[in-house]
Amino acid sequence: MEQVGARWRSGTDRAQVQVHDKVRVADGVVTLTLAAPDGGRLPDWTPGAHVDLTLDNGLTRQYSLCGDRWDAYSYRVGVLLEPAGRGGSSYVHEQLAPGHVVGLGGPRNHFPLVPAGSYLFVAGGIGITPILPMIAQADLLGAEWRLLYGGRTRGSMAFLDELSAHGDRVQVRPQDEHGLLDLAGFLGHPRPDTPVYACGPGPLLTAMERACAGWPARALRTERFVAAEQGAPVRAGAFDVELRRSGRTVTVAPDTSVLEALSAVGVEVLSSCRQGTCGTCETTVLAGVPDHRDSLLDDDERAAGDCMYPCVSRSCSDRLVLDL
């Protein structure tokens, strides 16, 4: 994917975007409208995609694109203020202003909308952001869909005005008014031709996994903002990583991530979340068996063993060979 006037290729290179607008859309939620500083065209994207924003404070954070995918000149993202976070959201809310320029990575999509005649969407809080363009796409294709949208309070739930245009296809259920979401009632009986998309906090996604236990394999598709809990690594000891292109071999100690071991010898891999949720550091595996510890790959992708996320994943075998 090439874009004149910048240096985007295949959604992986870094560029810059400028903040054109910043709007408060709910309690603790702002949207940013971003555009190329020279007014040029931005890379295309598909529903479910996110971008990495590199802020002036040195932090890189991932935000789902929630605007109009057919607008080639601007992106929109929604940012939830997390006072107990690592500083990215507070910087966006308190310091980032129209006119500021930030680094851009992506877009990339680990939460794609698959073709179907009908969809069920479940969103919790800021998890509504990747769902918005999915709804627009479903409407464009004439597919049937329904959305269950929960949050702490009605005032904390963003984009309610936009969603009101869809009438009773959208169920808005603030917790202080309705209690926990009635997932079983919303989902109904399992249907083989209806994908279920869910995004939100960890407890909601865990509840979705239980609620969809009787649905066909891969019917439920989720995106996590916080990594899922993982058990102990397969290997307790060290292992070697061979870098095929550079001809080097690096030993990864038990208390060091593959990403850290590579960085220590001067091999830099683009990374962001460092918890296996964003996909920025995806690396091709040429040989060996990865110990997948991310929150991105599905069972089939893990079984294929041809890629890994070195920020969290390790090795089942004595040696891994990576395309680095």
Side-chain angles (χ1 to χ4, degrees):
M1 182 186 302
E2 295 282 349
Q3 188 250 337
V4 176
R7 288 158 88 173
W8 283 295
R9 291 193 313 278
S10 303
T12 59
D13 291 332
R14 294 282 163 155
Q16 290 185 323
V17 285
Q18 188 171 42
V19 179
H20 273 214
D21 198 13
K22 179 180 176 180
V23 179
R24 180 182 177 276
V25 292
D27 296 340
V29 181
V30 297
T31 59
L32 304 176
T33 301
L34 308 167
D38 64 359
R41 183 184 179 95
L42 296 171
D44 296 336
W45 57 281
T46 54
H50 71 266
V51 292
D52 305 323
L53 297 186
T54 300
L55 309 173
D56 284 346
N57 62 359
L59 295 176
T60 299
R61 293 294 179 264
Q62 299 76 45
Y63 300 110
S64 296
L65 290 167
C66 61
D68 179 4
R69 64 170 296 208
W70 303 110
D71 178 354
Y73 297 93
S74 71
Y75 290 156
R76 184 178 71 167
V77 299
V79 183
L80 170 68
L81 177 62
E82 299 180 271
R86 293 177 291 168
S89 66
S90 60
Y91 178 86
V92 169
H93 276 253
E94 298 167 10
Q95 300 185 51
L96 197 63
H100 287 185
V101 173
V102 297
L104 175 76
R108 58 179 59 84
N109 197 342
H110 297 283
F111 192 43
L113 187 69
V114 298
S118 63
Y119 300 92
L120 292 175
F121 300 110
V122 178
I126 198 63
I128 190 63
T129 49
I131 302 298
L132 289 178
M134 292 184 178
I135 287 173
Q137 184 73 3
D139 264 347
L140 181 66
L141 298 176
E144 297 179 3
W145 62 269
R146 290 188 296 127
L147 166 66
L148 178 62
Y149 180 21
R152 297 186 310 278
T153 65
R154 193 173 295 270
S156 70
M157 300 171 67
F159 309 113
L160 293 182
D161 288 346
E162 293 181 27
L163 291 168
S164 66
H166 298 294
D168 59 8
R169 285 189 292 180
V170 175
Q171 297 180 27
V172 176
R173 297 291 184 268
Q175 186 174 350
D176 64 339
E177 298 177 22
H178 299 274
L180 296 177
L181 294 177
D182 179 11
L183 300 180
F186 175 74
L187 294 170
H189 297 294
R191 284 173 281 173
D193 59 347
T194 301
V196 181
Y197 282 81
C199 186
L204 171 62
L205 300 186
T206 299
M208 285 296 299
E209 290 170 353
R210 291 196 297 265
C212 291
W215 283 65
R218 302 190 69 183
L220 175 63
R221 297 162 185 267
T222 63
E223 181 169 63
R224 294 180 178 271
F225 296 138
V226 177
E229 291 187 12
Q230 302 285 345
V234 172
R235 293 177 58 91
F239 57 93
D240 289 334
V241 173
E242 177 187 334
L243 311 179
R244 178 62 54 84
R245 278 188 275 155
S246 61
R248 305 177 68 178
T249 297
V250 179
T251 298
V252 182
D255 59 349
T256 302
S257 72
V258 175
L259 192 67
E260 290 168 340
L262 295 176
S263 179
V265 297
V267 178
E268 297 297 334
V269 176
L270 191 64
S271 65
S272 181
C273 73
R274 298 195 173 225
Q275 59 179 350
T277 60
C278 75
T280 303
C281 66
E282 181 175 340
T283 302
T284 298
V285 177
L286 301 176
V289 181
D291 176 11
H292 296 292
R293 304 178 60 75
D294 61 88
S295 300
L296 289 163
L297 299 178
D298 61 30
D299 290 342
D300 291 341
E301 291 166 331
R302 289 176 179 234
D306 56 2
C307 73
M308 68 179 291
Y309 299 99
C311 64
V312 292
S313 295
R314 302 186 67 78
S315 180
C316 299
S317 52
D318 293 339
R319 189 179 192 86
L320 282 177
V321 181
L322 304 182
D323 185 22
L324 293 171

